[in-house]
Amino acid sequence: VILLCFRRYLLMALTSCLFWNTFGLSAPMDSKPNILLFLADDLGIGDIGCYGNDTIRTPNIDRLAREGVKLTQHIAAAPLCTPSRAAFLTGRYPIRSGMASSNRYRALQWNAGSGGLPANETTFARLLQQQGYTTGLIGKWHQGVNCETFNDHCHHPLNHGFDYFYGMPFTLLNNCQENKPPELDVALQAKLWLYSQIITLAVLTLTAGKLTGLISIRWKIIACFTLAGSLFFISWYSSYGFVHYWNCILMRNHDVTEQPMRLERTASLMLKEAVSFIKRNRHGPFLLFVSFLHVHTPLFTTKKFLGKSRHGLYGDNVEEMDWMVGKILDSLDKEGLKNHTFTYFASDHGGHLEARDGSAQLGGWNGIYKGGKGMGGWEGGIRVPGVFRWPGVFPAGTVIDEPTSLMDIYPTLVHLAGGILPQDRVIDGRNLVPLLRGRAEKSEHEFLFHYCGSYLHAVRWHQKDSGAIWKAHYVTPVFHPPGAGACYGKGICPCFGEGVTHHDPPLLFDLSRDPSEAKPLSADTEPLFDTVVRKVGRAIEEHRRTLTPVPEQLSVYNIMWKPWLQPCCGTFPFCWCDKEGDSTQSL
């Protein structure tokens, strides 16, 4: 009897396996799979092999696409890191959480600013934590740290649903590496230096005039000028003069472990932490968010990868990141977790075209798409890689051309974990599971709104009955020099003011026929022009009715350096430490 039952069970299993494989369908889902998220920083969609690059080697990311699903129209909710990551974590447009800026500072500038992801925003980590997941973040945060004191950690990852954090509360900058030109607020620093020099020259002139008798002035007035000049210099140089110490730090949970960080071992530390997290939590379920510091400038790359690519330092950095992806995937295999893990790879926005060192390109390539990082409407700033793998559940080798968003990860993960979406707020993301499993043919998104800071620059309409993807641009950046395709000399394109052009009627493209946005349509060339423009206009009105006023987290006051908020591993201002020691064994 036992033998008969076993044979019957084996026959049923073989029949089921044959059925799923024969008809190209996915198997039933495990309950509460492990979740592994990879998010690159500033990576262009054209930088990896599975999206057409044949000169930068990315075999591990390509393997994910080969074994899973590749999205070709995966869209970031913002073209810069802070707002894009806020949308990724919350499933909501950044303007809903106050993480969209109306000034020229569109990302957090300091660890010691008071702005950040508000405590009343519910991240996917929080919801998965409530479903029994152990949650971890390794790498970049850039969503703020403190609100009122140096250790209240109101914006910290551990206050947003993560059980474990190891990484940078901020983001990489040129300032983090010696012998690199400063990157943070360069134009303002130049003005402050100029004003300081003018004040110094004025004091010296008055002093010389007093000593030679050419100027009749009291010493008390000269002393006041000197004191005012000194206070002015100290007020700004105490922040901008020590960016390396204030922003370039590593934390483990609530503790600062390196200040300043040592870039030569950062990649090894991040990799070690990710592998260790998987090993510690192999009995699951776990959520591991690996938020790479790669491939943001200064592109610090370990010796093992320097000079190995055909695209200079940038290519070296991409290949090192791909190697790290491979090592983390290997750890899944080693623990026998590959088939029980939902894996995702993406970038927070498009490549940074203006990142250059002379003639050397230090930013990514966005393929056929116009524009790049910082440009709210053009595809190159917001269309990013999107790769999913879940063996046995998602059909391997699938390519999906439907419009999707990084915000969709939020409801997708909540669905996989068996949770319930918050009912007290608008969630802009959509559950991707039916699309990824082949159970749905169309994306649930009809409209996607493309912001630059708090300014709406463009809108995408997915006309499902015809298959057209209309895109209307109401504001576009003014390229410098004209026709260059980027804002060279400015560092990044602006969202408002003299650096943009307003379009009425909007520039209209059909991305299904013109993905490069090379030929704008008009009423003369497109019979549906007026219909499309009216439809998009009504969608904007409806969208704006769903917005409610919230405090602006990226206001000038909130992004200012405040010494009383500075994370410090000593007694401020004596903030330096190295608690990692020699903990970076090779992996």
Side-chain angles (χ1 to χ4, degrees):
V1 175
I2 295 174
L3 181 61
L4 183 62
C5 289
F6 175 75
R7 289 177 62 185
R8 182 176 297 173
Y9 172 80
L10 183 61
L11 181 62
M12 289 174 61
L14 290 172
T15 303
S16 176
C17 182
L18 181 62
F19 174 81
W20 294 112
N21 288 326
T22 300
F23 294 98
L25 300 175
S26 54
M29 294 191 302
D30 293 339
S31 61
K32 295 189 177 180
N34 299 311
I35 294 168
L36 174 59
L37 310 176
F38 295 110
L39 192 65
D41 196 3
D42 287 16
L43 180 74
I45 193 172
D47 288 329
I48 50 181
C50 56
Y51 283 88
N53 192 307
D54 58 4
T55 57
I56 296 180
R57 294 164 294 189
T58 56
N60 297 294
I61 300 169
D62 298 345
R63 171 161 56 104
L64 282 177
R66 208 166 44 246
E67 296 176 352
V69 179
K70 181 179 76 172
L71 305 180
T72 63
Q73 201 174 160
H74 201 39
I75 308 299
L80 276 182
C81 40
T82 294
S84 174
R85 289 162 183 267
F88 177 71
L89 289 161
T90 64
R92 290 153 51 82
Y93 286 108
I95 197 167
R96 297 193 191 280
S97 59
M99 297 295 277
S101 170
S102 61
N103 60 68
R104 69 184 187 90
Y105 295 104
R106 293 152 57 192
L108 293 172
Q109 302 291 300
W110 301 95
N111 279 324
S114 53
L117 190 63
N120 62 357
E121 287 294 324
T122 304
T123 67
F124 57 67
R126 174 72 69 204
L127 294 179
L128 266 64
Q129 196 179 50
Q130 294 171 359
Q131 295 301 311
Y133 276 73
T134 301
T135 57
L137 168 60
I138 310 296
K140 170 176 174 172
W141 176 238
H142 210 186
Q143 298 293 300
V145 182
N146 297 311
C147 290
E148 297 179 357
T149 65
F150 74 95
N151 62 356
D152 64 36
H153 291 178
C154 65
H155 302 305
H156 190 279
L158 268 60
N159 201 40
H160 278 294
F162 289 99
D163 296 306
Y164 183 76
F165 169 61
Y166 181 83
M168 256 190 116
F170 195 60
T171 183
L172 276 182
L173 296 166
N174 276 352
N175 306 71
C176 297
Q177 185 176 345
E178 294 180 2
N179 304 319
K180 290 284 186 178
E183 182 178 352
L184 186 66
D185 230 342
V186 177
L188 179 60
Q189 284 191 66
K191 289 181 180 179
L192 294 173
W193 267 115
L194 177 62
Y195 297 154
S196 297
Q197 290 168 348
I198 291 173
I199 293 171
T200 301
L201 182 61
V203 169
L204 292 175
T205 301
L206 291 174
T207 303
K210 175 68 173 179
L211 292 174
T212 59
L214 296 176
I215 300 176
S216 177
I217 189 171
R218 298 169 61 185
W219 283 112
K220 184 179 290 187
I221 296 176
I222 296 176
C224 287
F225 266 107
T226 303
L227 178 61
S230 299
L231 291 175
F232 173 75
F233 177 77
I234 291 170
S235 68
W236 72 265
Y237 193 77
S238 60
S239 56
Y240 289 108
F242 298 92
V243 174
H244 189 49
Y245 287 91
W246 304 149
N247 280 349
C248 306
I249 69 175
L250 290 181
M251 296 182 75
R252 176 178 282 107
N253 295 327
H254 291 295
D255 299 323
V256 178
T257 61
E258 278 190 8
Q259 190 169 13
M261 58 197 291
R262 293 174 53 183
L263 292 182
E264 66 272 12
R265 66 187 186 190
T266 301
S268 295
L269 287 169
M270 298 294 176
L271 179 55
K272 178 185 176 184
E273 290 285 340
V275 171
S276 176
F277 183 90
I278 291 172
K279 186 174 182 179
R280 289 196 311 271
N281 298 284
R282 60 187 177 275
H283 299 301
F286 66 75
L287 160 71
L288 175 58
F289 177 18
V290 180
S291 179
F292 287 108
L293 302 182
H294 299 64
V295 288
H296 197 291
T297 50
L299 300 175
F300 190 90
T301 308
T302 55
K303 291 181 180 179
K304 180 179 179 180
F305 291 92
L306 280 177
K308 298 297 176 64
S309 80
R310 294 164 57 185
H311 285 274
L313 186 58
Y314 182 82
D316 298 345
N317 206 244
V318 173
E319 293 188 1
E320 181 178 51
M321 178 188 66
D322 179 80
W323 172 79
M324 294 173 69
V325 168
K327 285 293 185 181
I328 296 169
L329 294 178
D330 288 346
S331 70
L332 282 182
D333 294 344
K334 182 178 179 181
E335 301 297 340
L337 300 175
K338 175 180 177 180
N339 293 339
H340 306 286
T341 302
F342 170 100
T343 304
Y344 169 73
F345 178 90
S347 176
D348 56 356
H349 49 71
H352 190 185
L353 301 181
E354 294 89 353
R356 290 175 135 183
D357 184 7
S359 61
Q361 180 67 28
L362 300 180
W365 182 50
N366 299 313
I368 65 171
Y369 305 109
K370 181 182 289 187
K373 175 180 178 177
M375 304 182 205
W378 295 122
E379 287 292 282
I382 54 178
R383 192 182 289 221
V384 298
V387 179
F388 296 82
R389 185 188 75 174
W390 189 0
V393 178
F394 299 158
T398 302
V399 178
I400 295 176
D401 297 323
E402 291 290 296
T404 58
S405 169
L406 265 70
M407 296 184 292
D408 296 339
I409 300 305
Y410 185 95
T412 300
L413 298 188
V414 174
H415 170 80
L416 294 175
I420 299 174
L421 292 175
Q423 302 299 303
D424 61 344
R425 64 199 64 193
V426 176
I427 301 297
D428 298 297
R430 300 291 183 264
N431 178 15
L432 290 177
V433 171
L435 197 64
L436 296 174
R437 299 190 71 194
R439 305 292 175 82
E441 293 184 357
K442 297 293 183 181
S443 163
E444 290 187 30
H445 289 289
E446 183 177 10
F447 295 96
L448 286 171
F449 302 91
H450 307 308
Y451 282 89
C452 187
S454 61
Y455 302 91
L456 184 65
H457 275 205
V459 179
R460 179 184 316 249
W461 176 29
H462 181 205
Q463 191 178 7
K464 299 180 184 181
D465 55 351
S466 70
I469 307 289
W470 303 102
K471 180 118 163 276
H473 289 261
Y474 294 88
V475 184
T476 56
V478 177
F479 292 143
H480 179 78
C487 299
Y488 297 107
K490 292 187 177 180
I492 204 163
C493 288
C495 296
F496 61 93
E498 296 180 357
V500 301
T501 301
H502 294 263
H503 303 280
D504 185 14
L507 296 179
L508 184 67
F509 300 90
D510 180 0
L511 297 181
S512 62
R513 291 178 289 170
D514 181 19
S516 300
E517 298 172 289
K519 300 176 182 178
L521 304 170
S522 67
D524 296 328
T525 61
E526 175 52 63
L528 295 176
F529 183 89
D530 292 332
T531 302
V532 172
V533 170
R534 283 195 300 271
K535 179 77 172 181
V536 173
R538 287 195 295 270
I540 293 173
E541 292 175 3
E542 292 176 9
H543 167 68
R544 284 179 170 155
R545 282 196 288 268
T546 70
L547 302 178
T548 54
V550 292
E552 188 175 323
Q553 297 297 319
L554 301 179
S555 67
V556 173
Y557 174 78
N558 279 337
I559 60 93
M560 286 174 54
W561 183 71
K562 303 174 180 68
W564 61 91
L565 298 183
Q566 179 61 51
C568 182
C569 57
T571 301
F572 184 85
F574 306 105
C575 302
W576 55 82
C577 63
D578 180 3
K579 299 178 183 179
E580 297 299 341
D582 298 320
S583 61
T584 56
Q585 292 87 9
S586 61
L587 294 169

